[in-house]
């Protein structure tokens, strides 16, 4: 996809507008027409650069994430996890939770959205997480053959999904820190 | 709630009919009228015995679960977890996944359903899980002050939610067994 015609600032603006619209009307009611109108772009440009609505949504989510795991390298695994947590404030976490819930619904009915999210959002995210874990293995903090290494994303997703379901409380940095120390690091046998 | 007028067999039949209807039409389109018609009961009876649609759905789910955690006691924590897994075959797990996804959607829009599920489904389930963990503490398999004890449900929910999202594969007994050995028991420091 040729993106050379948009500046990074313009791209960031466009991604933010897509997420704003998504919050306002939901995935089903979101149209390329509405995105074009809101961002004052042509639909032809949107389709040429992002291919489709699910792809544009997935890329927008990825670019607007408060945390870029691949940019975190504190020198210890626990430090990296806690840095991930501290880069997202509680207020933002609640806002994102609402957005992700709306998307969770849309995913059930739109298989192309699930495919786009996997390819453009989940997989790059997993790659960043894998690199973080690989550095911990290289430093000798965790063992390469620990079977929990491949389940770190499951543990993190569990914290996000189960917490609001079980307790009537929004997600918070404090909860996530406790969970990392109580579950994630012990399961990894982190030294 | 007085339930004395229905035999256990009649109750079980009614719960199964509620879930069948739920699978057919979804939560939003499910009506007490349709349940009354399908089960040849009067709406008055349904309301008198279960109070409301969300409560009836939550109780039906609870009674139709293939696994009753409170009935499991193999003598070891790992044995109890593996028994939970082996009581659900892969086919049933896929069927339940579809049902739970539909409900996950409904929960976002129906706060009374979330409340009913918490009270009538999640909490009793947690009580069974807590009893299982308490026995492991009493046997000295895990330590009472291990902070992971209160997060076991988060770990299990994570396995169920993250797996189909990350991998394009349905949940399976094999996956759950690996996850229990790789994540849940090590996080608990089970001896």
């Amino acid at each position: 996809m040729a993106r050379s015609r948009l500046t990074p600032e313009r791209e960031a603006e466009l991604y933010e507008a897509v997420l704003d619209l998504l919050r306002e009307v939901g995935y089903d009611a979101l149209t390329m027409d509405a995105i074009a109108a809101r961002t004052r772009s042509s639909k032809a440009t949107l389709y040429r650069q992002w291919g489709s609505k699910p792809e544009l949504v997935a890329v927008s989510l990825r670019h607007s994430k408060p945390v870029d795991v691949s940019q975190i390298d504190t020198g210890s695994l626990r430090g990296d996890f806690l840095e991930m947590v501290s880069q997202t404030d509680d207020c933002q976490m609640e806002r994102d939770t609402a957005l992700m819930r709306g998307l969770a619904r849309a995913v059930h009915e739109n298989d192309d959205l699930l495919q786009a999210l996997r390819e453009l959002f989940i997989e790059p995210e997993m790659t960043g997480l894998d690199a973080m874990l690989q550095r911990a293995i290289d430093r000798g903090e965790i063992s390469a053959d620990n079977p929990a290494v491949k389940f770190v994303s499951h543990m993190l997703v569990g914290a996000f999904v189960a917490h609001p379901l079980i307790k009537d409380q929004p997600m918070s940095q404090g909860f996530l820190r406790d969970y990392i120390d109580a579950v994630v690091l012990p399961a990894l046998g982190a030294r």
Side-chain angles (χ1 to χ4, degrees), chain A:
Chain A
M1 285 180 275
R3 298 202 182 154
S4 51
R5 291 172 56 191
L6 295 187
T7 62
E9 292 73 24
R10 179 82 180 104
E11 261 195 37
E13 205 180 281
L14 197 139
Y15 296 142
E16 203 40 63
V18 170
L19 296 191
D20 282 345
L21 269 170
L22 196 58
R23 289 191 187 94
E24 288 166 31
V25 303
Y27 182 78
D28 289 332
L30 183 73
T31 61
M32 290 298 250
D33 279 314
I35 298 169
R38 177 74 64 98
T39 61
R40 298 184 194 184
S41 346
S42 75
K43 253 171 60 170
T45 304
L46 297 180
Y47 278 112
R48 190 174 57 242
Q49 303 223 34
W50 289 280
S52 69
K53 173 173 126 175
E55 287 169 294
L56 179 51
V57 166
V59 173
S60 298
L61 279 170
R62 173 141 184 80
H63 279 262
S64 309
K65 271 181 68 267
V67 182
D68 183 354
V69 179
S70 71
Q71 296 300 307
I72 294 178
D73 187 2
T74 66
S76 81
L77 182 61
R78 182 166 188 270
D80 285 357
F81 275 125
L82 295 183
E83 181 62 25
M84 278 172 62
V85 173
S86 71
Q87 286 188 12
T88 317
D89 63 34
D90 288 355
C91 179
Q92 199 157 26
M93 236 180 286
E94 248 182 286
R95 205 174 91 140
D96 288 353
T97 302
L99 184 65
M100 296 316 269
R101 281 186 176 188
L103 280 173
R105 279 184 49 204
V107 155
H108 298 318
E109 282 152 15
N110 299 277
D111 212 51
D112 54 354
L113 176 62
L114 177 59
Q115 295 306 328
L117 286 174
R118 270 206 195 114
E119 187 181 327
L120 299 168
F121 184 69
I122 299 175
E123 278 176 24
E125 205 57 20
M126 301 282 283
T127 304
L129 198 57
D130 285 345
M132 198 177 110
L133 293 165
Q134 186 57 52
R135 288 195 306 270
I137 291 169
D138 295 343
R139 284 188 301 256
E141 286 184 83
I142 57 176
S143 154
D145 57 6
N146 186 312
V149 171
K150 64 176 180 294
F151 294 127
V152 170
S153 48
H154 295 76
M155 293 186 246
L156 296 175
V157 168
F160 271 91
V161 176
H163 186 66
L165 211 62
I166 296 169
K167 306 269 178 196
D168 200 0
Q169 290 165 3
M171 185 52 76
S172 72
Q173 292 186 329
F175 169 82
L176 280 178
R177 284 194 201 98
D178 286 349
Y179 187 78
I180 284 165
D181 279 333
V183 170
V184 183
L185 294 173
L188 288 168
R191 284 177 286 272

